[in-house]
Amino acid sequence: MRKLFIPAIILISLAACRHAGPPEPYGPLPSERQLAWHEMEYYMFVHFTVNTFTGKEWGYGDEGESVFNPSEMDCRQWARVAKDAGMKGIIITAKHHDGFCLWPSDYTEHSVKNSVWRNGKGDVLRDLREACDEFGLKMGVYLSPWDRNIAVYGTPEYLEYYRNQLHELLTSYGDIFEVWFDGANGGSGYYGGARETRRIDNKTYYDWPKTHELVRKLQPDAVMFSDAGPDVRWVGNESGMGSLTNWCLLRRDELWPGGDFARILGEGHEDGNYWVPAEVDVSIRPGWFYHPEEDSRVRSPENLLELYYSSVGRNSNLLLNIPPDKRGLLHEKDVESLLAFRKIREREFENELAGGKAARASSVRGRDFKAGNVTDGNPDTYWTVKDGQTAADITIDLGQETEVNRILIQEYIRLGQRVREYKVEALSDGEWIPLTEGTTIGYKVIRKFPTVRTSRVRLTISKSGACPVISNIELYRAPGE
Ligand code: FUL
């Protein structure tokens, strides 16, 4: 009897262990379209319009269509460069504040159709679609809500105009991954000849919910960006800086595009009731549009790498603007810097040291959620602990003394964003020494620290909204330091 009884207990507890189910989701969760967006990480912004030819940043709206005349227009060059740079998509200013449309819109005369470029038969959006398809890139559109050209701007009629244009863009150019709604509204403009200042109420004028509905209907897989989402939020600055504390969560109903929310947008809201992650938009040059006098002020590859750490490394996507010049080409200086940035980025993350290495945790929820899941290279497996445990640690055993100076950590965000405080330490001469510490993790953080020689690296999560769920940890020895 006794002999039978003991194995039965073991069997029962083994079975319980094996069948421990996944934790319940915690808080707001990302949609499938947002999950796909997170994985985009790094893509190109293209600012191109009459400003490229007039030298302005904000066209007044009275520019003649003939001004737009790129001499060597080639969207394939943009796409090839984006691909070679390691980017996954391109978002284009289909219409900037000046109101000039890069596609032959049926709703205005102020577009490429009345330019001399290709005798009015050109369509930048069509060219870009073909180029993106050829190079395996996703495509996104920016359609400025502020329009300084059109007479009806400021009236309800404009909203119909704006939605008609959105309808054209979202039905004529294939799958769109992101629709970009700018919050800028400056006031003065041409407005069909009125040449006056028009003020609108950012909060109410655009009736955003109706526009959002239209986008959802026409392109259900597209995310919508604005200061306040609904799917992706502005990071609150244009200098390339993601916030160190960065919740993918937002009380988005309290905010609206163009409102004064820069500080909130950096961190998001820990108690936000929607998943609205941050996107860092920044230009490779001082301006958003091409100006020859800025040719000497293109960001260096090293500077771009810093931007990468302060955006992708801080749980944000990086939307990097590379403005085409008057030829309609990305300028040689920008291309050179961009491609060199790819090289140094690849060198930075060349040697992943944790992959396949053993890991041990302070506790484990069950067999399916073991510590080793963080080093198995599979984004669908994760380490987690029992419900109610909001502090835990996990140690990666590198097997031998190894130099390390970067750590990459990812939460399994399908179950929500949880971690509020963590630290990373290394075992050195029998003692745990601090390497780095932080607050939020989310989709991804990458942290730098001075090179250390160690055989073990430990991540300790000291505060978490619910049991932490970590899908991936990577360690690197980047050159230098
Ligand atoms: C701002 C605009 O005013 C700039 O011209 C640029 O398009 C930038 C991305 O957004 O709000």
Side-chain angles (χ1 to χ4, degrees), residues 34 37 43 178 180-181 223-236 242-243 245-252 255 261-270 274-281 314-317 417 440:
Q34 287 171 317
W37 173 87
Y43 35 94
E178 179 164 335
W180 221 90
F181 296 126
V223 291
M224 286 178 264
F225 166 101
S226 86
D227 290 11
D231 302 314
V232 176
R233 73 175 195 266
W234 185 41
V235 72
S243 175
T245 295
N246 181 359
W247 293 99
C248 292
L249 312 173
L250 199 66
R251 301 193 302 268
R252 72 177 183 206
L255 316 177
F261 306 118
R263 225 194 80 76
I264 295 172
L265 293 174
E267 295 198 0
H269 289 128
E270 182 176 349
Y274 289 93
W275 189 272
V276 191
E279 181 182 81
V280 169
D281 63 314
R314 293 183 181 178
N315 188 31
S316 307
N317 278 5
Q417 187 179 359
T440 55

Side-chain angles (χ1 to χ4, degrees), residues 45 47 57-58 96-97 142 180 182-184 238 281 288-289:
F45 214 176
H47 274 66
E57 274 291 305
W58 281 7
H96 202 250
H97 309 327
Y142 166 119
W180 221 90
D182 199 326
E238 293 180 342
D281 63 314
W288 289 100
F289 288 92

